[in-house]
Amino acid sequence: MAAQLEAERKEYETQLELVDASLQDDPENEELLALRNELVNCIQLLNDSLAELKGASAAASGAQKQEPLAIGLPSSTSQKASVQDAEEPPKWSRENHPAFKKPSAAATPQPEKEEAPAPAPVVNYQVNDTVMARWLSGDKGFYPAKIVSVTGSSTAPIYTVKFKSYDT
């Protein structure tokens, strides 16, 4: 597999030399510039694949990525290629994808420990107290009512009320 990739890389490098020679005659030819960029990208991909196949020993020792080849190009052409590469960010990268990001302490805001709000004072109503009660079976509005009975427990009382305007 590595031998096949080496052969393809040599072939692309040969084609790149031909395109570079043509660019010396016509440095503004857009088709040749586009073909050159494609060939450089293909060679770079092949170099990356070869590095992976060889165990990525160069990457482990801290080697940097190879720059695109600039064989026999005028300086203006190589500047155009570098400006085009700088303008186009990769469409997708594993490092920037949210699914692959590891949660970090700096990235996840820690909720500040606030004092717990004081519990609301417990109000115990008595029979015959006048309250504003919600009419649950009707329009869910609050109306004046009188407590008729208290049932349930002391921690969760249930009040039975009679609405004052109901009899009129």
Side-chain angles (χ1 to χ4, degrees):
M1 178 81 175
Q4 182 183 2
L5 290 176
E6 286 282 346
E8 287 181 23
R9 187 181 71 182
K10 294 286 185 195
E11 183 177 329
Y12 284 132
E13 287 174 348
T14 304
Q15 291 175 2
L16 181 63
E17 289 174 5
L18 290 173
V19 169
D20 287 338
S22 298
L23 277 172
Q24 286 179 350
D25 295 335
D26 187 10
E28 300 300 321
N29 189 332
E30 295 297 323
E31 290 177 9
L32 288 175
L33 290 172
L35 180 60
R36 184 192 182 285
N37 285 336
E38 287 179 25
L39 287 170
V40 168
N41 289 338
C42 288
I43 292 170
Q44 186 65 41
L45 287 173
L46 286 171
N47 287 339
D48 292 344
S49 297
L50 284 169
E52 274 184 32
L53 286 176
K54 292 179 180 179
S57 60
S61 65
Q64 297 177 351
K65 261 188 158 180
Q66 294 180 358
E67 292 295 321
L69 299 175
I71 301 172
L73 278 181
S75 61
S76 63
T77 308
S78 62
Q79 287 175 354
K80 286 181 185 177
S82 65
V83 168
Q84 287 176 351
D85 291 340
E87 290 177 5
E88 295 181 36
K91 291 184 180 180
W92 185 89
S93 70
R94 188 176 179 108
E95 294 83 26
N96 294 332
H97 196 279
F100 296 107
K101 286 189 176 182
K102 294 180 182 175
S104 65
T108 57
Q110 297 293 332
E112 294 180 15
K113 294 185 179 183
E114 298 178 9
E115 293 181 20
V122 177
V123 178
N124 289 326
Y125 295 103
Q126 305 294 325
V127 176
N128 291 331
D129 284 350
T130 300
V131 294
M132 294 293 286
R134 180 178 273 174
W135 184 22
L136 295 176
S137 62
D139 65 354
K140 310 278 192 268
F142 287 89
Y143 298 98
K146 183 178 179 180
I147 296 176
V148 178
S149 68
V150 180
T151 59
S153 67
S154 61
T155 57
I158 298 174
Y159 300 100
T160 305
V161 298
K162 181 174 183 180
F163 291 99
K164 290 185 174 185
S165 62
Y166 187 72
D167 286 337
T168 58

